[in-house]
Amino acid sequence: MGAIGNCAARAPVMGGQFAVWGGLFACCDCSLTAIRQKEDPWNSILSGGATGGILAARAGPKAMASAAVIGGVLLALIEGMGIWMNNYFAQQPMGMEDPNAAGGMVTGPPENDITAPPTSGGVGMMPTGLTLRRAPSQQQQQTIGGMEGESERFDSGGYETTFSSGGGGGSSSSGDEKSGGWWPFGSS
């Protein structure tokens, strides 16, 4: 059978076990967050211990306790490594001062920050070349929709487009089609 065949045969079982572990961990984590009303690393650590203990419950209390300790320690290592990495990579390199800082204090985003949201005073509110168009009034919307019985032009961004409430076809002028409203292929 070989190593590849053995891996292929065991892959669904391993995937299922991991899915059960992940689902149980998520349930414990969300439950602890709701009970404690805090989102901190202790939720994950306690959830890892609870998940390990619950999954080993069929093997007895001794196995349940050891699996809970292992699960808690593993999640503590993962959380600790995550906190360490966040702190390490969040530090500013030595000799790299912020040019926008006034007296060593950061006062906000730099001026002309192109990544700033439009409400925080970034480069500009609208790209150049675009104009603001007014929304059509209720009367104009009814006319555009074909309610008034006569053709009306609307702002189509530079393209010649006309809506009318007349017949069904756009290019057919024979007049033998039934009035189909807006549907371009006539009525069914």
Side-chain angles (χ1 to χ4, degrees):
M1 182 142 166
I4 294 176
N6 194 11
C7 287
R10 292 281 302 158
V13 174
M14 293 291 287
Q17 289 173 346
F18 185 73
V20 168
W21 186 92
L24 192 55
F25 174 80
C27 287
C28 291
D29 194 30
C30 290
S31 298
L32 283 171
T33 302
I35 291 168
R36 297 181 64 230
Q37 294 294 307
K38 285 184 183 179
E39 183 68 48
D40 61 359
W42 286 107
N43 289 340
S44 295
I45 294 167
L46 294 172
S47 297
T51 300
I54 292 169
L55 290 175
R58 294 189 310 172
K62 187 177 179 182
M64 192 173 168
S66 66
V69 168
I70 290 171
V73 168
L74 261 165
L75 264 296
L77 290 172
I78 292 170
E79 287 293 322
M81 184 62 88
I83 292 169
W84 176 80
M85 288 180 70
N86 281 337
N87 290 338
Y88 180 79
F89 289 114
Q91 293 175 357
Q92 195 167 5
M94 298 299 262
M96 298 290 291
E97 290 83 24
D98 187 6
N100 295 319
M105 294 188 59
V106 178
T107 58
E111 289 186 34
N112 297 329
D113 182 12
I114 62 171
T115 62
T119 58
S120 70
V123 173
M125 295 300 281
M126 294 184 68
T128 57
L130 295 179
T131 59
L132 184 62
R133 295 188 182 125
R134 292 185 189 154
S137 67
Q138 188 174 6
Q139 173 68 25
Q140 289 171 335
Q141 288 176 350
Q142 288 179 350
T143 303
I144 291 171
M147 299 294 281
E148 293 293 317
E150 59 185 53
S151 296
E152 177 73 27
R153 291 192 180 268
F154 76 106
D155 186 9
S156 62
Y159 295 99
E160 292 295 323
T161 304
T162 305
F163 288 104
S164 69
S165 62
S171 62
S172 174
S173 61
S174 62
D176 56 347
E177 293 180 358
K178 296 179 184 176
S179 176
W182 62 270
W183 185 248
F185 304 111
S187 63
S188 54

